[in-house]
Amino acid sequence: MANVSKPVALVSGASSGIGKDIALRLIREGYVVYGGARRVGNMADIEAAGGHAIALDVTDDASMTQAVDRIMREQRRLDVLVNGTGYGQYGALEDVPMAEARRQMETNLIGAARLVQLCLPHMRAAGDGAILNISSIGGKFALPLGGWYHASKFALEGYSDALRNEVRQFGIEVIVIEPGGIASEWESIAADEAARLSGGGAYAAMVEKFRNMRGKRQAPPPAVVSNLVVRALNARRPATRYSGGLMARPLLFLRRHLSDRMFDRLIMSAFR
């Protein structure tokens, strides 16, 4: 029987990192949480905390449809969608196969957009709801070797702006979360991909410098992002964007105030 007293949240990408931390935090905040990911076995801690672990592949339409249908069947409501699925397809743009580029966009952008499509009718019917898209400070500027990742996050930012103004009339909030550096497996996966695709060719020296940059500053835990999510959900009138994590605010400030050429010089100074 549906629990009518607690708000219900769907968190994608809940098998690790930021998505998992958000799911666990929302459980502690009193939400009925459905953590969705392909690796269901990695979400035992979500179930142990009182949440629900469900199979969810954001590149598979049937999987997404079944997940939302199950939530509505069991809870009769869906108040919050957190689009937390994402990864970084790194490698020089000359080297990344287009199939890998398409997979990056399907995962980081199209999958999030499809989940929004599936959840919106239920939120509209309720006249309330919140959609939180986990973007990145990399949705405002781009690093070499991360072109397709940045393209997906730039696109998610623009998508979110359009969505916000479309659904405001229905009482639905759209909020963008822009993490900076966060301690997770994301960075090592991105570096490994850069090395796999571009570590032996024309961009090998750049890849080596990129790999050497890792770990030079201690990134904060995913709880930094979970705190932003809770802050947004608890706000009477949430901001459209929240940022946090290693170097997030300084880099966003510099991106706003420096010219493109000056910001290029700043970014490339890290690759010298």
Side-chain angles (χ1 to χ4, degrees), residues 20-143:
K20 180 188 284 287
D21 200 82
I22 292 171
L24 291 170
R25 177 64 184 277
L26 290 182
I27 291 169
R28 295 197 298 273
E29 293 290 322
Y31 286 76
V32 175
V33 174
Y34 286 76
R38 290 181 301 169
R39 300 177 293 179
V40 177
N42 287 8
M43 296 186 287
D45 48 354
I46 290 173
E47 292 193 316
H52 306 267
I54 59 174
L56 178 62
D57 182 348
V58 299
T59 65
D60 183 333
D61 196 82
S63 172
M64 291 185 279
T65 301
Q66 290 165 10
V68 173
D69 285 349
R70 173 181 164 181
I71 294 169
M72 292 307 300
R73 185 171 63 251
E74 294 179 356
Q75 303 297 331
R76 303 290 190 267
R77 63 187 290 179
L78 180 51
D79 304 277
V80 176
L81 168 63
V82 180
N83 274 313
T85 302
Y87 73 99
Q89 180 56 67
Y90 269 56
L93 289 168
E94 183 178 349
D95 297 332
V96 176
M98 294 311 296
E100 298 283 357
R102 291 187 183 95
R103 179 171 173 262
Q104 177 78 116
M105 300 302 287
E106 284 285 341
T107 302
N108 288 10
L109 174 66
I110 303 301
R114 180 57 178 148
L115 275 178
V116 168
Q117 283 188 331
L118 292 167
C119 295
L120 267 179
H122 308 297
M123 293 180 176
R124 279 194 298 103
D128 194 18
I131 297 166
L132 293 93
N133 290 328
I134 308 300
S135 180
S136 167
I137 60 171
K140 294 292 180 59
F141 61 85
L143 298 177

